[in-house]
Amino acid sequence: MDLYGTLATGFRSDLTAPWIELPDGRTLPYRSAEEGSAKVAGLLRSLGVMPGDRVAVQVDKTPEALLLYLGTVRAGAVFLPLNPAYRAEEVAYFLGDAEPAVAVGRPEVAREFEAAASASRVRHVFVLGADGRGSWAEAVGAASPVHDDAPVGESDLASIVYTSGTTGRAKGAMLTHRNLVSNAVTLHTLWGFRSGDVLLHALPIFHVHGLYVATNTAMLNASRIRFQERFDAHEVVEALAGSTVFMGVPTMYTRLLAQPGLTRERCAGVRLFVSGSAPLLPETFERFRERTGHTILERYGMTETGMSTSNPWRGERRAGTVGRPLTGVEVRVVGKDGRPLLAGQVGDVQVRGPNVMPGYWRRPETNVEEFTADGFFRTGDLGVFDTDGYLTLVGRSKDLVISGGLNVYPKEIELLLDALPGVVESAVIGVAHPDLGEGVTAVLVLKAGAQVREAEVLAALRPRLAAFKLPKAVRLVDELPRNAMGKVQKHLLRERFAGLYR
Ligand code: MCA
Ligand code: AMP
């Protein structure tokens, strides 16, 4: 079934039920989701948007942004969410690559956004503000609703989500209706969603975690979603009373633990805490259990695969593991020769199933490399199964830093650093960071006699990179350690700077 039709099976029988609850107490019923998204679909149709056309959206977290998502998939178009932190240059790349028919940006940066959109010949450009207003909202207000959703097949695209490749250039993971439906239905069952569940939603909605895992499962359950514009540890602790499910990245859990208000009493009504997107330290898992009495459920996924494994809702949740493969999903750990390994042996994690994307947008060559001949996706994660079938991730073969649950690709930053005056070469590494899990760290080799200060480096990068990608520290070395093949040995740099953020 199509994505919207699937989500709506949960709520269509009672459109008066609460959908989104805002921090000021305002509540929108599911009728708003149904009718608001029909208006968005009507507007897109009147703009000539055809099934398969992309709708790119770089906006704040609002109910209107969710309606944009829902209406886009109802129109058979492809929803393309972008992090509002991206700078003009980054946005221009995404729009140029995806060639959307419609682009919706934020009023604060309307001029840059419009320039990027017009360079990519986007036909229709709108803005939508954090207050839910703007040219987009006006156009939707004037549109006629269309309730007969565009017919879509399960292999039709519902979304493209950009995720950076090792080449330093982001690639669009193409997510089909089947990909998103299978994950929503599987997680809804596996995590025991039930009548009366209330989701406390503090994640951003431009990534798989906050949008497709959190929002879709809750909507499929016809649940109330308590919508927080951004994560604020104090406000989340306040809102735990009256919520039953919370999903977050590990940084959120460590920040919650720093709140004196996080107590057993406060969490008494919560039945499920889920963590993912980055490794949850066993120490955080234990401290959270001691403090709240709750055992965090850790799961593992990727933009390209949605969720692949999870610890159980009923059954033992093991610290440091990401649980077992989801129903219908095959996960294997293979050796260098591509053959599956036994329990206890570390190798490359590969995934096949209805959750796995068909490939990257307009990257046929990459798609051949990233999948095995028998259709498994190469995740770039290194893992090991135990004899009970629980997977533990032990590292990554891909060069990636995960900072506060957000992916940062070293290559993208290294290319900019290498071009700075006075810099011979650079290596960007992730170093253990108490708040962010890994802190993006730049290591530079300078030309003889050159003087380059950290502040200058950051000032040069800031206009060109989303702020979360900026190095938290810049360090100088005489030379980068290399192996016999000439490849930079980043593990040696990580060892050398291991204590940097302690
Ligand atoms: C914000 N900053 C960061 C990060 N976030 N720096 C490094 N890493 C970050 N993750 C910077 C800002 O640019 C800013 O810098 C300063 O920190 C404070 O910004 P602020 O907005 O106050 O930060 P925050 O609101 O406290 O954000 C931290 C956060 C957030 C709550 C951890 O990053 C977050 O929501 N992370 C979750 C991301 C997520 O949903 N990941 C899922 C993708 P300056 O002061 O210089 O401007 S992965 C996924 O979807 C897969 C499928 C999966 O498995 O889930
Ligand atoms: P993204 O490309 O943003 O979807 O990030 C996907 C990557 O996040 C995976 O390939 C893993 O490296 C990492 N990841 C996701 N969930 C977990 C987890 N529970 N533990 C460790 N790493 C994770």
Side-chain angles (χ1 to χ4, degrees):
M1 200 197 254
D2 69 289
L3 177 59
Y4 185 81
T6 304
L7 299 181
T9 50
F11 60 74
R12 269 199 181 129
S13 57
D14 181 10
L15 291 175
T16 64
W19 171 47
I20 298 284
E21 180 188 319
L22 295 165
D24 63 9
R26 240 179 343 129
T27 301
L28 306 176
Y30 270 95
R31 187 178 306 287
S32 302
E34 178 82 353
E35 289 180 359
S37 60
K39 288 194 110 188
V40 169
L43 172 59
L44 293 175
R45 207 174 278 186
S46 73
L47 293 173
V49 172
M50 302 297 288
D53 282 349
R54 279 76 57 212
V55 175
V57 174
Q58 191 193 26
V59 298
D60 291 300
K61 183 177 174 183
T62 59
E64 289 76 14
L66 275 189
L67 293 175
L68 235 164
Y69 152 53
L70 297 171
T72 298
V73 296
R74 291 186 78 174
V78 182
F79 187 67
L80 197 170
L82 294 169
N83 187 339
Y86 291 139
R87 315 291 278 184
E89 200 174 314
E90 295 165 297
V91 173
Y93 168 75
F94 296 123
L95 298 184
D97 192 63
E99 297 188 313
V102 176
V104 187
R106 290 154 67 235
E108 295 83 354
V109 288
R111 202 170 309 151
E112 294 95 308
F113 190 79
E114 275 158 19
S118 79
S120 308
R121 289 193 288 281
V122 180
R123 295 198 301 276
H124 306 284
V125 185
F126 297 91
V127 292
L128 175 65
D131 56 1
R133 292 171 203 219
S135 55
W136 174 256
E138 284 161 27
V140 173
S144 307
V146 168
H147 284 277
D148 55 326
D149 296 354
V152 288
E154 59 175 21
S155 54
D156 286 330
L157 298 192
S159 182
I160 293 178
V161 184
Y162 275 84
T163 167
S164 297
T166 40
T167 54
R169 272 309 195 184
K171 297 173 290 204
M174 302 192 289
L175 307 178
T176 64
H177 282 258
R178 178 177 188 236
N179 294 153
L180 300 182
V181 165
S182 73
N183 244 224
V185 171
T186 305
L187 297 175
H188 179 263
T189 305
L190 180 74
W191 293 345
F193 270 88
R194 56 195 186 198
S195 165
D197 266 336
V198 175
L199 174 73
L200 178 54
H201 194 303
L203 283 159
I205 55 168
F206 45 78
H207 279 308
V208 166
H209 194 167
L211 192 57
Y212 301 137
V213 178
T215 313
N216 284 358
T217 47
M219 286 189 67
L220 181 60
N221 196 56
S223 274
R224 180 150 54 100
I225 302 174
R226 305 182 74 190
F227 219 48
Q228 306 218 324
E229 207 178 303
R230 53 181 289 280
F231 176 81
D232 177 287
H234 178 73
E235 281 171 23
V236 165
V237 168
E238 291 294 305
L240 283 172
S243 305
T244 69
V245 178
F246 176 80
M247 299 185 194
V249 299
T251 296
M252 295 181 178
Y253 286 101
T254 47
R255 290 188 187 180
L256 287 176
L257 280 165
Q259 293 289 317
L262 184 80
T263 58
R264 269 173 196 258
E265 297 70 42
R266 176 59 60 176
C267 300
V270 183
R271 69 163 189 85
L272 181 62
F273 285 95
V274 178
S275 175
S277 307
L280 180 75
L281 296 178
E283 184 205 331
T284 312
F285 178 96
E286 291 304 343
R287 283 179 56 214
F288 201 83
R289 181 147 66 186
E290 276 164 27
R291 181 87 80 82
T292 67
H294 282 277
T295 310
I296 298 173
L297 182 156
E298 185 172 6
R299 91 311 181 268
Y300 158 58
M302 274 182 88
T303 302
E304 293 89 334
T305 64
M307 298 303 103
S308 292
T309 73
S310 174
N311 272 281
W313 176 52
R314 286 188 193 287
E316 190 193 351
R317 299 177 199 162
R318 292 193 185 164
T321 84
V322 292
R324 298 194 177 100
L326 301 184
T327 311
V329 177
E330 295 168 86
V331 180
R332 67 186 185 190
V333 170
V334 304
K336 289 284 162 255
D337 58 2
R339 296 223 188 116
L341 297 172
L342 299 172
Q345 297 177 314
V346 173
D348 292 308
V349 178
Q350 301 183 339
V351 183
R352 182 168 74 177
N355 54 322
V356 179
M357 64 157 192
Y360 294 106
W361 173 252
R362 292 182 178 164
R363 294 286 192 288
E365 56 323 322
T366 318
N367 293 338
V368 172
E369 290 156 20
E370 307 280 341
F371 287 88
T372 63
D374 56 351
F376 278 80
F377 178 70
R378 303 178 204 271
T379 64
D381 290 308
L382 299 173
V384 54
F385 277 112
D386 67 18
T387 46
D388 297 326
Y390 283 68
L391 180 69
T392 297
L393 298 176
V394 297
R396 297 171 211 133
S397 60
K398 57 192 170 191
D399 191 13
L400 164 71
V401 180
I402 305 185
S403 168
L406 289 171
N407 287 7
V408 179
Y409 278 83
K411 190 81 191 166
E412 182 183 10
I413 303 167
E414 288 161 3
L415 288 173
L416 296 178
L417 291 170
D418 291 349
L420 294 179
V423 174
V424 176
E425 59 176 352
S426 64
V428 169
I429 53 172
V431 173
H433 189 286
D435 179 42
L436 299 167
E438 293 179 320
V440 174
T441 306
V443 183
L444 303 181
V445 178
L446 299 186
K447 288 183 185 141
Q451 295 234 334
V452 177
R453 277 185 243 284
E454 180 170 297
E456 292 163 354
V457 172
L458 297 179
L461 297 185
R462 192 166 278 119
R464 306 190 63 187
L465 284 179
F468 71 85
K469 298 179 189 170
L470 290 177
K472 300 289 175 203
V474 179
R475 288 293 177 270
L476 304 178
V477 294
D478 293 333
E479 59 180 354
L480 296 177
R482 290 183 189 276
N483 65 14
M485 314 282 286
K487 195 167 179 280
V488 177
Q489 293 174 296
K490 290 197 170 179
H491 66 280
L492 295 181
L493 289 175
R494 281 193 290 268
E495 278 167 25
R496 173 160 171 195
F497 293 106
L500 191 56
Y501 303 109
R502 251 181 229 141

